[in-house]
mmCIF file of all heavy atoms in Angstrom:
data_model
loop_
_atom_site.group_PDB
_atom_site.id
_atom_site.type_symbol
_atom_site.label_atom_id
_atom_site.label_comp_id
_atom_site.label_asym_id
_atom_site.label_seq_id
_atom_site.Cartn_x
_atom_site.Cartn_y
_atom_site.Cartn_z
ATOM 1 N N PHE A 273 57.134 129.683 144.702
ATOM 2 C CA PHE A 273 56.435 129.880 143.489
ATOM 3 C C PHE A 273 55.522 128.769 143.014
ATOM 4 O O PHE A 273 54.320 128.835 142.635
ATOM 5 C CB PHE A 273 57.328 130.408 142.376
ATOM 6 C CG PHE A 273 56.783 130.676 141.012
ATOM 7 C CD1 PHE A 273 56.165 131.856 140.801
ATOM 8 C CD2 PHE A 273 56.973 129.685 139.968
ATOM 9 C CE1 PHE A 273 55.628 132.164 139.517
ATOM 10 C CE2 PHE A 273 56.334 130.040 138.799
ATOM 11 C CZ PHE A 273 55.751 131.147 138.509
ATOM 12 N N ARG A 274 56.157 127.614 143.005
ATOM 13 C CA ARG A 274 55.440 126.433 142.497
ATOM 14 C C ARG A 274 54.280 126.037 143.441
ATOM 15 O O ARG A 274 53.222 125.668 142.932
ATOM 16 C CB ARG A 274 56.407 125.292 142.423
ATOM 17 C CG ARG A 274 57.436 125.393 141.310
ATOM 18 C CD ARG A 274 58.508 124.438 141.282
ATOM 19 N NE ARG A 274 59.411 124.542 140.198
ATOM 20 C CZ ARG A 274 60.653 123.959 140.138
ATOM 21 N NH1 ARG A 274 60.976 123.114 141.144
ATOM 22 N NH2 ARG A 274 61.424 124.267 139.105
ATOM 23 N N PHE A 275 54.505 126.078 144.768
ATOM 24 C CA PHE A 275 53.375 125.712 145.602
ATOM 25 C C PHE A 275 52.251 126.721 145.638
ATOM 26 O O PHE A 275 51.112 126.425 145.600
ATOM 27 C CB PHE A 275 53.944 125.677 147.052
ATOM 28 C CG PHE A 275 54.385 124.185 147.471
ATOM 29 C CD1 PHE A 275 55.565 123.705 146.908
ATOM 30 C CD2 PHE A 275 53.603 123.471 148.242
ATOM 31 C CE1 PHE A 275 55.980 122.475 147.341
ATOM 32 C CE2 PHE A 275 54.066 122.108 148.568
ATOM 33 C CZ PHE A 275 55.176 121.692 148.092
ATOM 34 N N ALA A 276 52.637 127.968 145.378
ATOM 35 C CA ALA A 276 51.611 129.086 145.291
ATOM 36 C C ALA A 276 50.717 128.833 144.003
ATOM 37 O O ALA A 276 49.503 128.918 144.115
ATOM 38 C CB ALA A 276 52.251 130.440 145.278
ATOM 39 N N LEU A 277 51.415 128.512 142.993
ATOM 40 C CA LEU A 277 50.716 128.236 141.692
ATOM 41 C C LEU A 277 49.756 127.042 141.863
ATOM 42 O O LEU A 277 48.484 127.173 141.519
ATOM 43 C CB LEU A 277 51.618 127.893 140.552
ATOM 44 C CG LEU A 277 52.264 129.238 139.912
ATOM 45 C CD1 LEU A 277 53.198 128.656 138.682
ATOM 46 C CD2 LEU A 277 51.335 130.188 139.273
ATOM 47 N N GLY A 278 50.333 125.991 142.464
ATOM 48 C CA GLY A 278 49.492 124.773 142.605
ATOM 49 C C GLY A 278 48.324 125.015 143.485
ATOM 50 O O GLY A 278 47.211 124.595 143.374
ATOM 51 N N GLY A 279 48.561 125.707 144.692
ATOM 52 C CA GLY A 279 47.521 125.957 145.642
ATOM 53 C C GLY A 279 46.384 126.797 145.177
ATOM 54 O O GLY A 279 45.235 126.573 145.443
ATOM 55 N N ILE A 280 46.826 127.917 144.486
ATOM 56 C CA ILE A 280 45.839 128.781 143.841
ATOM 57 C C ILE A 280 45.025 128.067 142.743
ATOM 58 O O ILE A 280 43.820 128.188 142.674
ATOM 59 C CB ILE A 280 46.478 130.003 143.191
ATOM 60 C CG1 ILE A 280 47.066 130.855 144.359
ATOM 61 C CG2 ILE A 280 45.484 130.887 142.412
ATOM 62 C CD1 ILE A 280 47.906 132.143 143.769
ATOM 63 N N PHE A 281 45.657 127.187 141.971
ATOM 64 C CA PHE A 281 44.976 126.396 140.910
ATOM 65 C C PHE A 281 43.831 125.557 141.525
ATOM 66 O O PHE A 281 42.753 125.606 141.067
ATOM 67 C CB PHE A 281 45.903 125.695 140.117
ATOM 68 C CG PHE A 281 45.233 124.905 138.997
ATOM 69 C CD1 PHE A 281 45.117 125.479 137.768
ATOM 70 C CD2 PHE A 281 44.831 123.578 139.212
ATOM 71 C CE1 PHE A 281 44.474 124.821 136.720
ATOM 72 C CE2 PHE A 281 44.258 122.946 138.065
ATOM 73 C CZ PHE A 281 44.091 123.507 136.886
ATOM 74 N N PHE A 282 44.247 124.753 142.528
ATOM 75 C CA PHE A 282 43.302 123.852 143.009
ATOM 76 C C PHE A 282 42.183 124.548 143.978
ATOM 77 O O PHE A 282 41.042 124.066 144.057
ATOM 78 C CB PHE A 282 43.882 122.724 143.727
ATOM 79 C CG PHE A 282 44.580 121.746 142.791
ATOM 80 C CD1 PHE A 282 45.954 121.780 142.632
ATOM 81 C CD2 PHE A 282 43.803 120.846 142.094
ATOM 82 C CE1 PHE A 282 46.496 120.896 141.729
ATOM 83 C CE2 PHE A 282 44.331 119.932 141.252
ATOM 84 C CZ PHE A 282 45.733 119.929 141.041
ATOM 85 N N ALA A 283 42.657 125.587 144.759
ATOM 86 C CA ALA A 283 41.584 126.311 145.527
ATOM 87 C C ALA A 283 40.627 126.949 144.684
ATOM 88 O O ALA A 283 39.379 126.925 144.894
ATOM 89 C CB ALA A 283 42.429 127.310 146.470
ATOM 90 N N VAL A 284 41.132 127.768 143.598
ATOM 91 C CA VAL A 284 40.254 128.426 142.741
ATOM 92 C C VAL A 284 39.376 127.463 141.977
ATOM 93 O O VAL A 284 38.232 127.651 141.810
ATOM 94 C CB VAL A 284 41.040 129.405 141.875
ATOM 95 C CG1 VAL A 284 40.226 129.946 140.695
ATOM 96 C CG2 VAL A 284 41.618 130.580 142.732
ATOM 97 N N GLY A 285 40.002 126.369 141.407
ATOM 98 C CA GLY A 285 39.265 125.343 140.768
ATOM 99 C C GLY A 285 38.189 124.692 141.635
ATOM 100 O O GLY A 285 37.095 124.520 141.190
ATOM 101 N N GLY A 286 38.556 124.454 142.848
ATOM 102 C CA GLY A 286 37.591 123.856 143.745
ATOM 103 C C GLY A 286 36.325 124.865 144.000
ATOM 104 O O GLY A 286 35.213 124.456 143.990
ATOM 105 N N ALA A 287 36.649 126.140 144.076
ATOM 106 C CA ALA A 287 35.587 127.109 144.297
ATOM 107 C C ALA A 287 34.752 127.140 143.084
ATOM 108 O O ALA A 287 33.555 127.342 143.139
ATOM 109 C CB ALA A 287 36.310 128.484 144.694
ATOM 110 N N ALA A 288 35.378 127.084 141.845
ATOM 111 C CA ALA A 288 34.551 127.026 140.573
ATOM 112 C C ALA A 288 33.668 125.930 140.573
ATOM 113 O O ALA A 288 32.461 126.039 140.303
ATOM 114 C CB ALA A 288 35.596 127.066 139.391
ATOM 115 N N VAL A 289 34.081 124.748 140.929
ATOM 116 C CA VAL A 289 33.185 123.529 140.987
ATOM 117 C C VAL A 289 32.015 123.735 142.032
ATOM 118 O O VAL A 289 30.956 123.421 141.740
ATOM 119 C CB VAL A 289 34.057 122.276 141.380
ATOM 120 C CG1 VAL A 289 33.073 121.113 141.523
ATOM 121 C CG2 VAL A 289 35.024 121.955 140.199
#
Side-chain angles (χ1 to χ4, degrees):
F273 176 78
R274 289 171 180 167
F275 269 74
L277 281 180
I280 292 173
F281 182 87
F282 285 104
V284 168
V289 172

